[in-house]
Amino acid sequence: MVEKKDLDWGSLDFGYHQTDYSYEAHWKDGEWDEGGLTTDHDLHLSECAGIFHYCQEVFEGLKAYTTEEGSIVCFRPDMNASRMFDSAERLEMPGFPKDRFVEAVKEVVKANAAWVPPFGSGATLYVRPFMIGSGEVIGVAPAPEYTFRILVTPVGPYFKGGLKPIKLRVSEYDRAAPHGTGNIKAGLNYAMSLRPTMEAHRNGYAENIYLDPQSRTYIEETGGANVLFVKEDGTLVVPKSHTDSILPSITRRSLVQVAQDLGMTVDERYVTWEEVAGDEFVECGLCGTAAVISPVGQIDNKVNGADQEVVFPAGCTEIGPVMKQLRETLTGIQDGNLEDKHGWVCKIDVD
């Protein structure tokens, strides 16, 4: 068994801590090189690299865990490989081969096995694959060369306070243009959310919830997570995007399957803000790789003269029963404590 680093795992924040190895590969003249591990954690780029001028960048996020019996695993890396491939295609970037993506994740996690937090610590190893246009380009065009890289870092909880319900506000901004790039995982989508996010923080909110950019009628997602709702009868309601602007979250899709396995009714459909404001739901949560599920206790709408305050009665002071069951079931599968019926857990062999 690999000896873990001497860290205060329970006190880790959700921040960058440099580990031993990263992974890097390069695309040039129509093909990817063989790639491999590197101990150099700096990127060396021309000032004319395409990333700096035309934002050709896509990324992913997944985690590695230590199970109770000591194995190191990660969760559905094949889905991250597929989503990153699709994101790259949308931005006219060469897709990194899906099988190589999974193998690269395994290789870099194995090389940093000592940095995978121990079971029960509440921390995980965050795995961040990304690709940038690294070749020089001055006219508006795809870059001639690309760099694929994976960094890993041990992290604590994404939201301070763990599972304490957070408060959101409806944003006056739009997250993405109708039928634009909202359904891919690209840095440009997150750059536009920074100003609204900081404004939300300055006003006492953890995050923004965005309405559809076309009619501002339908629920989309937050700046960094998909949204889930629960009706009084226990139905899990999963918002669909009216303008194809929601990121296809791997965590969301996994939770939908978990809910169905548990016998819950799942309703994936368009959800209007008026339904939310009309107290149609008793629980709300945000889902994503970083937090798995973060319970939402309240959403305020102060946009365009509105003065609405929506409180979710079954989850306003602590995580609600449905969100709690979903979260515990999914994390139990990830940790190896519950049966992995669907083959989602990818074991990483460590010598």
Coordinates of all heavy atoms in Angstrom, one line a residue, residues 65-124:
Y65 N -10.3 8.6 -5.7 CA -10.7 8.3 -4.3 C -9.9 7.1 -3.7 O -9.5 6.3 -4.5 CB -12.1 8.0 -4.1 CG -13.1 8.9 -4.8 CD1 -13.4 8.7 -6.2 CD2 -13.8 9.8 -4.1 CE1 -14.3 9.5 -6.8 CE2 -14.8 10.6 -4.8 CZ -15.0 10.5 -6.1 OH -15.9 11.3 -6.8
T66 N -9.7 7.1 -2.4 CA -9.2 5.9 -1.8 C -10.4 5.2 -1.2 O -11.2 5.8 -0.4 CB -8.2 6.2 -0.7 OG1 -7.1 6.9 -1.3 CG2 -7.7 4.9 -0.1
T67 N -10.6 3.9 -1.5 CA -11.8 3.2 -0.9 C -11.4 2.7 0.4 O -10.2 2.8 0.9 CB -12.1 2.0 -1.8 OG1 -11.1 1.1 -1.8 CG2 -12.4 2.4 -3.3
E68 N -12.4 2.2 1.1 CA -12.2 1.7 2.5 C -11.2 0.6 2.6 O -10.4 0.5 3.5 CB -13.5 1.3 3.1 CG -13.4 1.0 4.6 CD -14.8 0.8 5.3 OE1 -15.8 0.7 4.6 OE2 -14.8 0.8 6.5
E69 N -11.2 -0.2 1.5 CA -10.2 -1.3 1.6 C -8.9 -1.0 1.0 O -8.0 -1.8 0.8 CB -10.8 -2.6 0.8 CG -11.4 -2.3 -0.6 CD -10.4 -2.6 -1.7 OE1 -9.4 -3.4 -1.4 OE2 -10.5 -2.1 -2.8
G70 N -8.7 0.3 0.6 CA -7.4 0.8 0.2 C -7.1 1.0 -1.2 O -6.0 1.4 -1.6
S71 N -8.1 0.6 -2.1 CA -7.9 0.8 -3.5 C -8.0 2.2 -3.9 O -8.7 3.0 -3.3 CB -8.9 -0.1 -4.3 OG -8.7 -1.4 -4.1
I72 N -7.4 2.6 -5.0 CA -7.6 3.9 -5.6 C -8.4 3.8 -6.9 O -8.2 2.9 -7.7 CB -6.2 4.6 -6.0 CG1 -5.4 4.8 -4.7 CG2 -6.4 5.9 -6.8 CD1 -4.0 5.4 -4.9
V73 N -9.5 4.6 -6.9 CA -10.4 4.5 -8.0 C -10.8 5.9 -8.5 O -10.6 6.9 -7.8 CB -11.7 3.8 -7.6 CG1 -11.5 2.4 -7.1 CG2 -12.5 4.6 -6.5
C74 N -11.3 6.0 -9.7 CA -11.9 7.2 -10.2 C -13.3 6.8 -10.8 O -13.6 5.7 -11.0 CB -11.0 7.9 -11.2 SG -10.5 7.0 -12.6
F75 N -14.0 7.8 -11.1 CA -15.4 7.6 -11.4 C -15.8 8.0 -12.9 O -15.6 9.2 -13.2 CB -16.3 8.5 -10.5 CG -17.8 8.2 -10.6 CD1 -18.3 7.0 -10.2 CD2 -18.6 9.2 -11.1 CE1 -19.7 6.8 -10.3 CE2 -20.0 9.0 -11.2 CZ -20.5 7.8 -10.8
R76 N -16.1 7.1 -13.7 CA -16.6 7.2 -15.1 C -15.7 8.1 -15.9 O -16.1 9.1 -16.6 CB -18.0 7.8 -15.1 CG -19.0 7.0 -14.2 CD -20.4 7.4 -14.4 NE -21.0 6.9 -15.7 CZ -22.2 7.1 -16.1 NH1 -23.1 7.8 -15.4 NH2 -22.6 6.6 -17.3
P77 N -14.4 7.9 -16.0 CA -13.5 8.7 -16.8 C -13.8 8.6 -18.3 O -13.5 9.5 -19.0 CB -12.1 8.1 -16.5 CG -12.3 6.7 -16.0 CD -13.6 6.8 -15.3
D78 N -14.4 7.5 -18.7 CA -14.8 7.4 -20.1 C -15.8 8.5 -20.5 O -15.8 9.0 -21.6 CB -15.4 6.0 -20.4 CG -16.6 5.7 -19.5 OD1 -16.5 6.0 -18.3 OD2 -17.5 5.1 -20.0
M79 N -16.7 8.9 -19.6 CA -17.6 9.9 -19.8 C -17.0 11.3 -20.0 O -17.3 12.1 -20.8 CB -18.7 10.0 -18.8 CG -19.5 8.7 -18.6 SD -20.5 8.4 -20.1 CE -21.8 9.6 -19.9
N80 N -15.9 11.5 -19.1 CA -15.2 12.8 -19.3 C -14.4 12.8 -20.6 O -14.3 13.8 -21.3 CB -14.2 12.9 -18.1 CG -14.8 13.1 -16.8 OD1 -15.0 12.1 -16.1 ND2 -15.2 14.3 -16.4
A81 N -13.9 11.6 -21.0 CA -13.2 11.5 -22.3 C -14.1 11.9 -23.4 O -13.8 12.7 -24.4 CB -12.7 10.1 -22.5
S82 N -15.4 11.4 -23.4 CA -16.3 11.7 -24.5 C -16.7 13.1 -24.5 O -16.8 13.8 -25.6 CB -17.6 10.8 -24.3 OG -17.2 9.4 -24.5
R83 N -17.0 13.7 -23.3 CA -17.4 15.1 -23.3 C -16.3 16.0 -23.7 O -16.6 17.0 -24.4 CB -17.9 15.4 -21.8 CG -18.5 16.8 -21.8 CD -19.2 17.1 -20.4 NE -18.2 17.0 -19.3 CZ -18.6 17.2 -18.0 NH1 -19.8 17.3 -17.7 NH2 -17.6 17.2 -17.1
M84 N -15.1 15.7 -23.3 CA -14.0 16.6 -23.7 C -13.8 16.5 -25.3 O -13.5 17.5 -25.9 CB -12.7 16.3 -23.0 CG -11.6 17.3 -23.2 SD -10.2 17.0 -22.1 CE -9.2 18.4 -22.5
F85 N -13.9 15.3 -25.8 CA -13.8 15.2 -27.3 C -14.9 16.0 -28.0 O -14.6 16.7 -28.9 CB -14.0 13.7 -27.6 CG -13.6 13.3 -29.0 CD1 -12.3 12.9 -29.2 CD2 -14.4 13.5 -30.1 CE1 -11.8 12.5 -30.5 CE2 -14.0 13.2 -31.4 CZ -12.7 12.7 -31.6
D86 N -16.1 16.0 -27.5 CA -17.2 16.8 -28.1 C -16.9 18.3 -27.9 O -17.2 19.1 -28.8 CB -18.5 16.4 -27.4 CG -19.0 15.0 -27.7 OD1 -18.4 14.4 -28.7 OD2 -19.8 14.5 -27.0
S87 N -16.4 18.7 -26.7 CA -16.1 20.1 -26.5 C -15.1 20.6 -27.5 O -15.2 21.7 -28.0 CB -15.6 20.3 -25.0 OG -16.7 20.0 -24.1
A88 N -14.0 19.8 -27.7 CA -12.9 20.1 -28.6 C -13.5 20.3 -30.0 O -13.1 21.3 -30.7 CB -11.8 19.1 -28.5
E89 N -14.3 19.4 -30.4 CA -14.8 19.5 -31.8 C -15.6 20.8 -32.0 O -15.5 21.4 -33.0 CB -15.8 18.3 -32.1 CG -15.0 17.0 -32.4 CD -16.0 16.0 -33.0 OE1 -17.2 16.0 -32.7 OE2 -15.5 15.2 -33.9
R90 N -16.3 21.2 -31.0 CA -17.1 22.4 -31.1 C -16.3 23.7 -31.3 O -16.7 24.6 -31.9 CB -18.0 22.6 -29.8 CG -18.8 23.9 -29.7 CD -19.9 24.0 -30.9 NE -20.7 25.2 -30.8 CZ -20.3 26.4 -31.2 NH1 -19.1 26.5 -31.7 NH2 -21.1 27.4 -31.1
L91 N -15.0 23.6 -30.7 CA -14.1 24.8 -30.9 C -13.1 24.5 -31.9 O -12.0 25.2 -31.9 CB -13.5 25.1 -29.5 CG -14.4 25.5 -28.4 CD1 -13.6 26.0 -27.2 CD2 -15.3 26.7 -28.9
E92 N -13.3 23.6 -32.8 CA -12.4 23.3 -33.9 C -11.0 22.9 -33.4 O -9.9 23.4 -33.9 CB -12.3 24.5 -34.9 CG -13.5 24.6 -35.8 CD -13.6 23.4 -36.8 OE1 -12.6 22.9 -37.3 OE2 -14.7 23.0 -37.1
M93 N -11.0 22.1 -32.3 CA -9.7 21.6 -31.8 C -9.7 20.1 -32.0 O -10.7 19.5 -32.1 CB -9.7 21.9 -30.3 CG -9.8 23.4 -29.9 SD -10.0 23.6 -28.1 CE -8.4 23.3 -27.5
P94 N -8.5 19.5 -32.1 CA -8.4 18.1 -32.4 C -8.8 17.3 -31.1 O -8.2 17.6 -30.0 CB -6.9 17.9 -32.7 CG -6.2 19.0 -32.0 CD -7.1 20.2 -32.1
G95 N -9.8 16.4 -31.2 CA -10.1 15.7 -30.0 C -9.0 14.8 -29.5 O -8.3 14.1 -30.3
F96 N -8.8 14.7 -28.2 CA -7.8 13.8 -27.7 C -8.4 12.4 -27.7 O -9.6 12.3 -27.2 CB -7.4 14.2 -26.3 CG -6.1 13.5 -25.8 CD1 -4.9 13.8 -26.3 CD2 -6.2 12.5 -24.8 CE1 -3.8 13.2 -25.9 CE2 -5.1 11.9 -24.4 CZ -3.9 12.2 -24.9
P97 N -7.8 11.4 -28.2 CA -8.4 10.1 -28.3 C -8.9 9.6 -27.0 O -8.3 9.7 -25.9 CB -7.2 9.2 -28.8 CG -6.3 10.1 -29.5 CD -6.4 11.4 -28.8
K98 N -10.2 9.1 -27.0 CA -10.9 8.8 -25.8 C -10.2 7.7 -25.0 O -10.1 7.7 -23.7 CB -12.3 8.4 -26.1 CG -13.1 9.5 -26.7 CD -14.5 9.0 -27.2 CE -15.2 10.0 -28.0 NZ -16.5 9.6 -28.5
D99 N -9.7 6.7 -25.6 CA -9.0 5.6 -24.9 C -7.7 6.1 -24.3 O -7.3 5.7 -23.1 CB -8.7 4.4 -25.8 CG -7.9 4.8 -27.1 OD1 -7.9 6.0 -27.4 OD2 -7.3 3.8 -27.7
R100 N -7.0 7.0 -25.0 CA -5.8 7.6 -24.4 C -6.1 8.5 -23.3 O -5.3 8.6 -22.3 CB -5.0 8.3 -25.5 CG -4.3 7.4 -26.5 CD -3.4 8.2 -27.4 NE -2.3 8.9 -26.6 CZ -1.5 9.8 -27.1 NH1 -1.5 10.1 -28.4 NH2 -0.6 10.4 -26.3
F101 N -7.2 9.2 -23.3 CA -7.6 10.0 -22.2 C -7.7 9.2 -20.9 O -7.1 9.6 -19.9 CB -8.9 10.7 -22.5 CG -9.5 11.6 -21.5 CD1 -9.4 12.9 -21.6 CD2 -10.1 11.0 -20.4 CE1 -10.0 13.8 -20.6 CE2 -10.7 11.9 -19.4 CZ -10.6 13.2 -19.5
V102 N -8.4 8.1 -21.0 CA -8.6 7.3 -19.8 C -7.3 6.7 -19.3 O -7.0 6.7 -18.1 CB -9.6 6.1 -20.1 CG1 -9.7 5.1 -18.9 CG2 -11.0 6.7 -20.4
E103 N -6.4 6.3 -20.2 CA -5.1 5.7 -19.8 C -4.2 6.8 -19.2 O -3.5 6.6 -18.3 CB -4.4 5.1 -21.0 CG -5.1 3.8 -21.5 CD -5.3 2.8 -20.3 OE1 -4.3 2.5 -19.6 OE2 -6.4 2.2 -20.2
A104 N -4.3 8.0 -19.7 CA -3.6 9.1 -19.2 C -4.0 9.5 -17.8 O -3.2 9.8 -16.9 CB -3.7 10.4 -20.1
V105 N -5.3 9.5 -17.6 CA -5.8 9.7 -16.2 C -5.3 8.6 -15.2 O -4.8 9.0 -14.2 CB -7.4 9.7 -16.2 CG1 -7.9 9.6 -14.8 CG2 -7.9 10.9 -16.9
K106 N -5.4 7.4 -15.6 CA -4.8 6.3 -14.8 C -3.4 6.5 -14.5 O -2.9 6.3 -13.4 CB -5.1 5.0 -15.5 CG -6.5 4.5 -15.6 CD -6.6 3.1 -16.3 CE -8.0 2.6 -16.4 NZ -8.0 1.3 -17.1
E107 N -2.6 6.9 -15.5 CA -1.2 7.0 -15.4 C -0.8 8.1 -14.4 O 0.1 8.0 -13.5 CB -0.5 7.3 -16.8 CG 1.0 7.3 -16.7 CD 1.6 7.5 -18.1 OE1 0.8 7.4 -19.1 OE2 2.8 7.6 -18.2
V108 N -1.5 9.3 -14.5 CA -1.1 10.4 -13.7 C -1.6 10.2 -12.3 O -0.9 10.6 -11.3 CB -1.6 11.7 -14.3 CG1 -3.1 11.9 -14.2 CG2 -0.8 12.9 -13.7
V109 N -2.7 9.6 -12.1 CA -3.2 9.3 -10.7 C -2.3 8.3 -10.1 O -1.9 8.4 -8.9 CB -4.7 8.8 -10.8 CG1 -5.1 8.3 -9.4 CG2 -5.6 9.9 -11.2
K110 N -1.9 7.2 -10.8 CA -1.0 6.2 -10.2 C 0.3 6.9 -9.8 O 0.8 6.6 -8.7 CB -0.8 5.1 -11.3 CG 0.2 4.1 -10.8 CD 0.4 3.0 -11.9 CE 1.4 2.0 -11.5 NZ 1.6 0.9 -12.5
A111 N 0.8 7.8 -10.6 CA 2.1 8.4 -10.3 C 2.0 9.3 -9.1 O 3.0 9.6 -8.4 CB 2.6 9.2 -11.5
N112 N 0.8 9.8 -8.8 CA 0.6 10.6 -7.6 C -0.3 9.9 -6.6 O -1.0 10.6 -5.8 CB -0.2 11.9 -8.1 CG 0.7 12.8 -8.9 OD1 1.6 13.5 -8.5 ND2 0.4 12.9 -10.2
A113 N -0.1 8.6 -6.5 CA -0.9 7.8 -5.5 C -0.8 8.3 -4.1 O -1.7 8.3 -3.3 CB -0.6 6.4 -5.6
A114 N 0.4 8.8 -3.7 CA 0.6 9.3 -2.4 C -0.2 10.5 -2.1 O -0.3 10.9 -0.9 CB 2.1 9.6 -2.2
W115 N -0.7 11.2 -3.1 CA -1.5 12.4 -2.9 C -3.0 12.2 -2.9 O -3.8 13.1 -2.7 CB -1.1 13.4 -4.0 CG 0.3 13.9 -4.0 CD1 1.4 13.4 -4.6 CD2 0.7 15.1 -3.3 NE1 2.5 14.2 -4.4 CE2 2.1 15.2 -3.5 CE3 0.1 16.0 -2.4 CZ2 2.9 16.2 -3.0 CZ3 0.9 17.0 -1.8 CH2 2.2 17.1 -2.1
V116 N -3.4 10.9 -3.2 CA -4.8 10.6 -3.1 C -5.2 10.5 -1.6 O -4.7 9.7 -0.9 CB -5.1 9.3 -3.8 CG1 -6.6 9.0 -3.8 CG2 -4.6 9.3 -5.3
P117 N -6.1 11.4 -1.1 CA -6.4 11.4 0.3 C -6.9 10.1 0.8 O -7.5 9.3 0.1 CB -7.5 12.5 0.4 CG -7.2 13.4 -0.8 CD -6.8 12.5 -1.9
P118 N -6.6 9.8 2.1 CA -7.1 8.5 2.7 C -8.6 8.5 2.8 O -9.2 9.5 2.9 CB -6.4 8.5 4.0 CG -6.0 9.9 4.3 CD -5.8 10.6 3.0
F119 N -9.1 7.3 2.9 CA -10.5 7.1 3.0 C -11.0 7.7 4.3 O -10.3 7.6 5.4 CB -10.8 5.6 3.0 CG -12.3 5.3 3.3 CD1 -13.2 5.3 2.3 CD2 -12.7 4.9 4.6 CE1 -14.6 5.1 2.5 CE2 -14.1 4.6 4.8 CZ -15.0 4.7 3.8
G120 N -12.2 8.4 4.3 CA -12.8 8.9 5.5 C -12.3 10.3 5.8 O -12.7 10.9 6.8
S121 N -11.3 10.9 5.0 CA -10.8 12.2 5.3 C -11.7 13.3 4.9 O -11.5 14.5 5.3 CB -9.4 12.3 4.7 OG -9.5 12.3 3.2
G122 N -12.6 13.0 4.0 CA -13.5 14.1 3.4 C -12.8 14.8 2.2 O -13.4 15.7 1.6
A123 N -11.6 14.4 1.9 CA -10.8 15.0 0.8 C -10.8 14.0 -0.4 O -11.0 12.8 -0.2 CB -9.5 15.5 1.2
T124 N -10.4 14.6 -1.5 CA -10.3 13.7 -2.7 C -9.1 14.3 -3.6 O -8.6 15.4 -3.3 CB -11.6 13.7 -3.6 OG1 -11.9 15.1 -3.9 CG2 -12.7 13.0 -2.9

